Amino acid sequence: MSLFIPVLKKNGFLENIHMTICNVGSRKLDVQDDYATQGWEIFAPNLNIYGFDADVDACAEANIDLGLRQINWNEKHIPLALGKAIETRTLYVTKQPFCSSLYPPNDPYIKRLEGLAELMALDFRLEVNTTTLDKFCEEENISEVDFLQVDVQGADLDVLQGSLRALSSSILAVQIEVEFSPLYQNQPLFADVDAFLRKYDFSLFDIAPSYRLREGLPISSDKSSGQLLWGDAFYLRDLIRKDIEKSESLKSPDKLLKLACIADTMSFTDYSLEILVYLTQQNGEDPKYNFANSIIETLAQFSYFVDHGLESLPVVQQVRDYASNLHLYTSA
């Protein structure tokens, strides 16, 4: 749940924010997979969501559902397999389709882990034509991608390798599934993905981990959930750092504002606030980038801050010279 964005929107700062999301591996398994109802819907109608999945039926089902909901943003799911190149690859379709991958299941390994063998057992092979995110954006005249999510069962680095232009010029945050052990044969692991994204100046903010116990064993520790096998890794750019060279397209206040919004939507609220303070200090003479009143209004929603002196908060002190509403929340 975002904290600052509702106030920013109320105060008119989101009117020129256009958000584009690409979700690679967009099969919707539960409500958490419906992007526009997880906080991103606040950017509608200036919201574009492109979902990609090799499963034609899953894409058709998602598009039918969107039509029935009469959404007020642009979202479509495209039956494409994205990878690192335009080529023919083998898709290894598993008993549970959401475990299918461009890499074959590592059967000897997954049989040792609880519940994985029945999910990842190979059903059949299928030849598919892969393309790249960069190629898709070129063909569809999509000039910017702001947020990228990738969840393609071991082939996630392949997708990044096919997104070099977008990563270099516009993407501000990446959510990507990473594996710490080889669930698929010859797949890239977390260390490979992490090293790749760091080359493009993304910083790791968090990992949502998943664990598995050993198959068929009757004992486990109450201090461990088993072996760490995979997780969702969350990467964001740090556009404030002085020691990182950034392309001209990433240096603007508008990009910083968009990054603050993305960070807030992803629940990295402290980072969002840091960016808003930085923008206000650097560009606060321009009303478009003076967020002092919005920062104070948001913090004033917490009675603890007001009761203990909102004006004494260090973050408020940093922007008070740009604020006109501080008196509304002080006893003086």
Side-chain angles (χ1 to χ4, degrees), residues 10-56:
K10 178 180 72 70
N11 293 341
F13 288 108
L14 300 191
E15 292 177 359
N16 295 317
I17 294 288
H18 293 259
M19 195 68 70
T20 298
I21 297 170
C22 286
N23 182 6
V24 186
S26 65
R27 175 192 299 274
K28 296 186 178 184
L29 299 177
D30 56 43
V31 68
Q32 298 300 318
D33 297 322
D34 187 24
Y35 252 88
T37 58
Q38 299 304 311
W40 299 96
E41 71 276 10
I42 197 167
F43 298 105
N46 300 331
L47 174 64
N48 297 302
I49 300 175
Y50 300 94
F52 304 90
D53 202 285
D55 189 325
V56 175

Side-chain angles (χ1 to χ4, degrees), residues 246-272:
K246 309 170 189 72
S247 67
E248 289 299 323
S249 63
L250 294 172
K251 292 180 179 179
S252 70
D254 288 334
K255 279 291 187 184
L256 275 161
L257 174 56
K258 189 175 283 190
L259 177 60
C261 291
I262 292 173
D264 196 22
T265 305
M266 295 175 71
S267 298
F268 298 112
T269 307
D270 60 323
Y271 185 41
S272 178

Side-chain angles (χ1 to χ4, degrees), residues 212-243:
R212 287 283 171 152
L213 298 169
R214 286 359 235 188
E215 178 66 36
L217 300 182
I219 190 169
S220 62
S221 167
D222 59 0
K223 294 184 178 180
S224 171
S225 300
Q227 182 179 352
L228 173 62
L229 291 180
W230 72 86
D232 276 344
F234 301 87
Y235 288 86
L236 291 92
R237 287 194 185 276
D238 188 345
L239 298 182
I240 296 176
R241 280 181 62 179
K242 303 299 185 184
D243 60 329

